[in-house]
Amino acid sequence: MTDPLRTLVLPPLGSLPLSRAASDRDGDARATEHFLDDLWASGDTRVLPIVRGKAPVVDGALRLLGPADIARPDVTVYLGRVDEGFADAGRRVVLAVLDEEDAAVAPPGQWFGLREIAASLDARDTGFFVAGAAVANWHATHTHCPRCGARTALSHAGWVRRCPRDGSEHYPRTDPAIIVSIIDDDDRILLGSAVAWPEGRYSTLAGFVEPGESLEAAVVREVGEESGIEVRSPEYLGSQPWPFPASLMLGFTARAATTDAVPDGEEMRSLRWFTREQLFAAVRDETVVVAGGVSIARAMIERWYGGPLDEEPSEARP
């Protein structure tokens, strides 16, 4: 199956690092009886082990195993088939959620989290790693039925948990969150430092969408709550999964109608308006650290900046 990102008109931010994928999720196959058992018995199947958000990476690629090379754990999930254009095209990949790193799979120094390694992985590995990490997080925190408290059992190749007592079915959750680059009439960007972050770390403002709320309304509310700034004209820029543990980041830019930024003290420690020259100097001097390269926040900041932050701003940039 062709990657949808190759056939659709992409939003302004384009294909973000954690949005890349090169697989067919093959959802119709999940309901096949004994499907995971059959996959585990097949020598053609490839297994992706994940331990608390980390996977083995060897020579710049995920280490995918054969089922015979690893003991089958309690939680396994069918992730889909490798897309065309890869040497292992068509092969099915199964997630194996392990309790601890297995030195027989990869030594301790070769297990990495998405934040550390995603930028250097190809689209095939990134897509499987993101999906695997997200669904593994869900299984770890949703082991019992929210209705009656009974322990649930895996169904539909690991994509459903079914309650044996009341028959209810429960599906992986994704928490939508908006993230916004706020620009004023002087073309400055507003960045904030969260209370939970180290001193000097700054990023764009973000927050979860509340029930019954539109994305645009969430932009206006979250910015107002965290900074006291009024914004107008939110414009969608793009989205990226953020499985830490279960978010989907929906990127916007918005114009500031007011500029007197006051941190709320609960989520935001400080807020600063930056010109391009000021941000370049602060990053160069290491007095300010901005979001990492795999985050949508970094892409949004660099879109405003006009290029990589390690390059001096020029008049040719917007």
Side-chain angles (χ1 to χ4, degrees), residues 1-255:
M1 180 178 178
T2 302
D3 180 358
L5 290 179
R6 297 189 205 142
T7 59
L8 296 176
V9 177
L10 292 172
L13 289 180
S15 179
L16 295 162
L18 298 189
S19 296
R20 296 173 298 143
S23 66
D24 175 1
R25 292 204 172 202
D26 196 20
D28 291 343
R30 296 173 185 172
T32 304
E33 191 174 3
H34 306 303
F35 186 57
L36 278 176
D37 294 335
D38 294 340
L39 288 180
W40 205 267
S42 171
D44 288 334
T45 299
R46 287 295 170 261
V47 178
L48 170 61
I50 286 184
V51 180
R52 295 182 293 278
K54 293 187 175 183
V57 178
V58 180
D59 296 328
L62 287 180
R63 185 171 188 203
L64 302 180
L65 310 172
D69 299 324
I70 186 171
R72 184 174 177 179
D74 292 337
V75 176
T76 56
V77 182
Y78 176 48
L79 297 179
R81 295 183 298 191
V82 178
D83 208 351
E84 297 177 3
F86 293 84
D88 53 354
R91 285 198 170 184
R92 290 184 159 103
V93 177
V94 174
L95 166 70
V97 181
L98 307 184
D99 293 329
E100 58 185 18
E101 295 177 10
D102 186 344
V105 173
Q110 292 183 328
W111 293 78
F112 297 91
L114 273 168
R115 286 184 175 96
E116 303 169 87
I117 203 68
S120 63
L121 298 177
D122 63 19
R124 183 204 71 163
D125 284 358
T126 300
F128 283 128
F129 199 167
V130 170
V135 75
N137 289 340
W138 174 69
H139 279 293
T141 56
H142 291 74
T143 55
H144 289 71
C145 177
R147 294 183 178 182
C148 68
R151 186 170 183 86
T152 52
L154 275 68
S155 178
H156 285 68
W159 288 94
V160 176
R161 295 191 73 104
R162 178 172 290 143
C163 178
R165 182 181 298 169
D166 63 25
S168 60
E169 293 184 342
H170 309 279
Y171 297 83
R173 61 176 294 171
T174 296
D175 300 324
I178 58 88
I179 184 165
V180 53
S181 58
I182 305 164
I183 314 299
D184 73 0
D185 290 341
D186 293 324
D187 209 21
R188 299 180 301 171
I189 191 169
L190 181 68
L191 301 180
S193 180
V195 171
W197 294 348
E199 193 78 31
R201 179 181 172 186
Y202 282 81
S203 188
T204 48
L205 274 60
F208 288 107
V209 181
E210 295 187 344
E213 185 175 45
S214 71
L215 299 178
E216 294 79 8
V219 168
V220 174
R221 176 185 55 77
E222 280 289 347
V223 171
E225 289 176 355
E226 294 184 0
S227 71
I229 295 292
E230 295 180 16
V231 295
R232 61 176 182 270
S233 305
E235 295 180 12
Y236 177 70
L237 297 179
S239 66
Q240 177 167 272
W242 194 246
F244 309 110
S247 297
L248 174 65
M249 305 304 297
L250 298 142
F252 285 81
T253 187
R255 303 299 300 185

